[in-house]
């Protein structure tokens, strides 16, 4: 997925906890060969952290591009099982923890990618608690790498690696923004976009 699917400066994450049903803490058992991190994109800003995650569409009517044919790592039973568990968690609620919200109105299907893009946001000030929750519930067991933009990509890089075993792959924010805008304008059918400049801005 990487920076191509960013629709604004939103790119690349792990969702941090759900309000209704929480996974029971379990012993971590990381698999070196099972990495589903490419379905996530996280942008860590000063106020909000924004997450995009990709959910593959299994219906035959959904056309996939050649470059996306391996998206979400459905090649092995282990990867399929890891994805099933993660999607079950993400789909269990539209709210996560105290401030996490899945923007259901923003989700959309992409025939080019062969699936659906979902968007989540939460307050960056709660990042330490979010990392602790992810670690306690072993949600990062099958996530080894993750693309990230924003100042937080550097600020929280060590914390992600030490606490979650995730290597943050820093992406250029402007490059992701332009690629995301190009993707949205050329690939999202029926999309309507507006820009309202700040009045009196310098």
């Amino acid at each position: 997925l990487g920076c191509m699917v960013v629709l604004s400066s939103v790119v690349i994450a792990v969702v941090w906890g759900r309000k209704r049903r929480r996974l029971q803490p379990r012993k971590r058992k990381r698999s070196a060969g099972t990495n589903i991190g490419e379905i996530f994109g996280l942008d860590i800003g000063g106020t909000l952290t924004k997450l995009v995650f990709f959910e593959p569409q299994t219906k035959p009517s959904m056309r996939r591009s050649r470059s996306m044919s391996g998206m979400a790592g459905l090649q092995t039973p282990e990867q399929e099982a890891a994805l099933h568990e993660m999607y079950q968690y993400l789909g269990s609620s539209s709210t996560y923890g105290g401030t996490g919200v899945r923007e259901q109105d923003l989700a959309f299907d992409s025939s080019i990618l062969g699936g659906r893009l979902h968007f989540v946001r939460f307050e960056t000030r709660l990042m330490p608690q979010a990392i602790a929750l992810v670690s306690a519930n072993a949600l990062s067991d099958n996530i080894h790498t993750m693309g990230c933009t924003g100042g937080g990509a550097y600020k929280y890089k060590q914390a992600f690696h030490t606490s979650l075993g995730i290597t943050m792959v820093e992406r250029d924010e402007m490059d992701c923004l332009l690629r995301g805008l190009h993707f949205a304008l050329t690939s999202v059918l029926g999309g309507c976009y507006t820009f309202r400049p700040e009045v009196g801005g310098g």
Side-chain angles (χ1 to χ4, degrees):
L1 186 59
C3 61
M4 185 187 71
V5 299
V6 184
L7 300 184
S8 60
S9 59
V10 176
V11 241
I12 318 185
V14 173
V15 133
W16 312 121
R18 54 192 162 177
K19 184 177 181 181
R20 299 178 184 171
R21 185 175 62 88
R22 296 172 60 182
L23 296 177
Q24 294 300 316
R26 56 185 175 85
K27 185 177 180 181
R28 173 165 295 168
K29 184 179 180 182
R30 293 182 68 83
S31 171
T34 306
N35 179 26
I36 62 172
E38 66 180 12
I39 70 169
F40 296 102
L42 187 65
D43 175 61
I44 306 177
T47 302
L48 288 177
T49 293
K50 287 82 67 180
L51 159 74
V52 57
F53 69 91
F54 176 77
E55 182 179 11
Q57 173 61 265
T58 58
K59 294 180 181 180
S61 58
M62 250 323 190
R63 178 178 60 85
R64 286 191 187 187
S65 68
R66 180 175 300 178
S67 62
M68 293 295 109
S69 61
M71 178 58 67
L74 291 173
Q75 297 90 343
T76 69
E78 292 78 13
Q79 291 168 328
E80 185 173 9
L83 284 167
H84 175 75
E85 181 178 350
M86 184 61 71
Y87 291 135
Q88 188 175 44
Y89 175 86
L90 293 169
S92 66
S93 178
S94 60
T95 59
Y96 311 91
T99 66
V101 177
R102 176 159 51 89
E103 304 280 7
Q104 299 184 71
D105 292 341
L106 297 182
F108 69 91
D109 294 313
S110 170
S111 60
I112 293 178
L113 297 179
R116 189 170 181 82
L117 289 171
H118 302 268
F119 301 88
V120 176
R121 58 176 170 80
F122 68 92
E123 294 182 20
T124 302
R125 65 182 178 84
L126 299 179
M127 186 66 75
Q129 297 94 314
I131 291 176
L133 182 60
V134 171
S135 178
N137 288 292
L139 295 176
S140 60
D141 282 4
N142 297 300
I143 302 175
H144 301 165
T145 59
M146 182 183 297
C148 186
T149 62
Y154 175 79
K155 181 177 181 179
Y156 294 104
K157 185 175 183 177
Q158 188 59 46
F160 268 71
H161 182 72
T162 302
S163 301
L164 303 176
I166 297 176
T167 298
M168 302 298 283
V169 181
E170 297 176 59
R171 304 291 189 183
D172 182 84
E173 190 162 357
M174 185 57 66
D175 180 59
C176 288
L177 171 61
L178 294 176
R179 288 173 180 266
L181 288 173
H182 180 266
F183 173 80
L185 293 171
T186 59
S187 307
V188 182
L189 300 179
C192 179
Y193 309 94
T194 62
F195 172 70
R196 180 178 297 174
E198 183 179 350
V199 178

